Amino acid sequence: MKVKVDVDTKTFVRFLLVVTGFVTVIFMLTKLWTPLMIIFIAAFLALALNPPVSALAKKLPGQSRVLATALAYLIVLAVVGVFVYIALPPIVDQTNRFIADLPSYVERLSSQQGVVADFINRYNLQEQISQLVAGAQQQASGVAQGIGSSVVNGVTSILSGFITLITVLVLTFLMLIEGPAWIKRLWSLYYDEHKLKRHQALAIKMYKVVTSYVNGQVLVATVAAAAGLATLLILHYFFPAVRVDAVIPLTAIIFITDLVPMVGATIGAVLVTLVLLTSDIGAAVAFAVYFFIYQQIENNFIQPLVQSRTVALSALSVFVAIIIGISLLGIVGGIVAIPIAGCIRVMLIDHMEHRKKSTTTPARRGMWQRLVAKATAND
């Protein structure tokens, strides 16, 4: 059986234009993915930094946003510089000591009695461990010789990352300065007063979602840093090899990495455990066990609870949003997943409320009037 479908030229042209436009948009997204991500990250940072910048601008003479943004940048750079100045020396010193004392550690471990020593002696692993230590020392001593070639080979990646970072910072700076003016221009394009007020209220709600998320994540990172600080001090008491001057830098590492939802705790735990490994193996194992337990508590209780209160999302929604964000965009997706989910919730609620208001009684009366008119006409 043959089926003949008549399609007029106008419909076919529209369909062709829609398909062409869709393919063009997908192609442009694939080509512009990197710059779009840079702009998106800069916009997110600008939204997160806008409250302190606005508060600082109100206290400055002339309420200059340029000066307020510059001061905010200087404060951030000063904090990062102090952290690097405090954190790097003890970490580098402990790493050098660990590399230099590695043979004596293995020798003492093999000579002493214990579970590890019995395992090494039972399976005759002394020779393999000695070869492993010798190879590690050779690689460690060859690091300095290979620095030149490594720098040359990786200079492109380093420069690319540095340029991307500078681009994000410059875009964020410009968005913080010009953002209010651009928003005023956008609102000036509206002619419908009702729609203007509705969209302004919607934008304010979405803005509060982003700022509330940032505040909530800072709170989560503060809790993690406080718990990590207490644990490191306890480890220093039981393991004197853990230096006190390394406690504050390690706590700062925990705070900074924990600003990333879900995976941040893991990154911080790995970094701190590696640093503690250069001081005392027992301390590193104890901290790894502690942070494994704490990470489960944070990911499944603290993080969803705090963000559900600040972003007004359920704990299940927060957890699902983070999983989807990390799966799609990695760490960046994990950071922005919660505020995006909160903004989507705000838009859905606004849309549903608007539809309820539009479905009013006069519209239903119009339907009945049409039915009555039709019946009257038939009579």
Side-chain angles (χ1 to χ4, degrees):
M1 183 178 67
K2 295 182 179 180
V3 178
K4 184 179 180 181
V5 179
D6 293 328
V7 179
D8 59 335
T9 306
K10 189 175 181 180
T11 303
F12 178 76
V13 171
R14 285 181 177 178
F15 174 77
L16 186 62
L17 289 176
V18 169
V19 173
T20 304
F22 180 77
V23 173
T24 303
V25 169
I26 297 298
F27 177 77
M28 294 297 292
L29 285 177
T30 56
K31 291 295 183 180
L32 300 176
W33 181 253
T34 300
L36 288 176
M37 284 299 299
I38 292 175
I39 296 172
F40 177 76
I41 294 172
F44 180 80
L45 290 176
L47 288 174
L49 293 175
N50 186 62
V53 169
S54 298
L56 186 59
K58 292 179 181 179
K59 298 180 180 180
L60 293 176
Q63 297 184 352
S64 174
R65 285 187 65 88
V66 177
L67 182 58
T69 307
L71 288 176
Y73 267 57
L74 289 176
I75 293 173
V76 172
L77 292 177
V79 171
V80 173
V82 170
F83 168 72
V84 172
Y85 177 77
I86 295 176
L88 279 184
I91 293 175
V92 172
D93 183 50
Q94 288 186 352
T95 303
N96 292 333
R97 286 185 182 182
F98 177 75
I99 294 175
D101 298 338
L102 184 60
S104 61
Y105 287 155
V106 178
E107 190 174 340
R108 266 184 294 168
L109 187 63
S110 301
S111 61
Q112 291 177 356
Q113 297 298 323
V115 178
V116 179
D118 293 341
F119 181 82
I120 293 174
N121 295 327
R122 178 179 299 179
Y123 294 97
N124 298 321
L125 299 177
Q126 293 88 347
E127 183 178 353
Q128 288 83 346
I129 292 179
S130 299
Q131 293 177 357
L132 180 63
V133 172
Q137 284 182 321
Q138 185 177 1
Q139 290 181 0
S141 61
V143 168
Q145 299 176 0
I147 285 179
S149 59
S150 299
V151 169
V152 172
N153 294 331
V155 67
T156 303
S157 300
I158 294 174
L159 287 177
S160 176
F162 181 74
I163 292 173
T164 301
L165 177 61
I166 295 299
T167 304
V168 170
L169 293 177
V170 172
L171 282 175
T172 305
F173 187 87
L174 295 176
M175 288 179 181
L176 285 170
I177 295 174
E178 300 182 9
W182 279 99
I183 292 175
K184 288 181 180 179
R185 294 192 190 104
L186 176 63
W187 297 139
S188 65
L189 298 176
Y190 281 77
Y191 294 100
D192 189 341
E193 188 69 21
H194 175 71
K195 186 177 293 186
L196 172 63
K197 293 181 178 180
R198 177 194 167 198
H199 288 179
Q200 284 180 336
L202 181 62
I204 291 174
K205 291 179 182 178
M206 295 172 66
Y207 172 71
K208 289 182 178 179
V209 166
V210 177
T211 55
S212 299
Y213 162 74
V214 173
N215 295 333
Q217 198 58 39
V218 170
L219 176 61
V220 172
T222 303
V223 172
L229 176 62
T231 304
L232 290 171
L233 292 176
I234 294 173
L235 290 178
H236 170 70
Y237 178 79
F238 289 100
F239 302 94
V242 178
R243 297 168 52 180
V244 180
D245 58 349
V247 171
I248 298 300
L250 294 179
T251 304
I253 290 175
I254 295 172
F255 176 80
I256 293 173
T257 56
D258 210 77
L259 291 174
V260 181
M262 300 292 287
V263 297
T266 303
I267 297 173
V270 170
L271 292 176
V272 175
T273 303
L274 290 176
V275 174
L276 290 177
L277 191 63
T278 63
S279 301
D280 192 292
I281 297 178
V285 173
F287 184 85
V289 172
Y290 148 75
F291 222 96
F292 175 78
I293 298 173
Y294 175 80
Q295 183 185 15
Q296 305 309 312
I297 298 174
E298 180 184 291
N299 291 347
N300 297 286
F301 178 72
I302 299 177
Q303 176 85 26
L305 180 63
V306 171
Q307 294 297 355
S308 63
R309 298 287 180 85
T310 56
V311 189
L313 287 172
S314 66
L316 177 61
S317 301
V318 171
F319 197 75
V320 171
I322 293 175
I323 293 175
I324 295 176
I326 293 176
S327 301
L328 292 177
L329 299 175
I331 294 178
V332 176
I335 295 175
V336 302
I338 297 176
I340 288 178
C343 292
I344 292 174
R345 172 185 173 274
V346 169
M347 288 189 293
L348 288 176
I349 292 176
D350 178 80
H351 177 69
M352 293 173 66
E353 291 179 350
H354 181 68
R355 288 200 62 180
K356 286 181 180 179
K357 291 180 180 179
S358 62
T359 310
T360 57
T361 306
R364 294 184 179 180
R365 284 202 302 265
M367 180 184 67
W368 285 108
Q369 288 174 356
R370 287 195 299 270
L371 290 175
V372 172
K374 185 176 181 180
T376 306
N378 292 333
D379 292 340

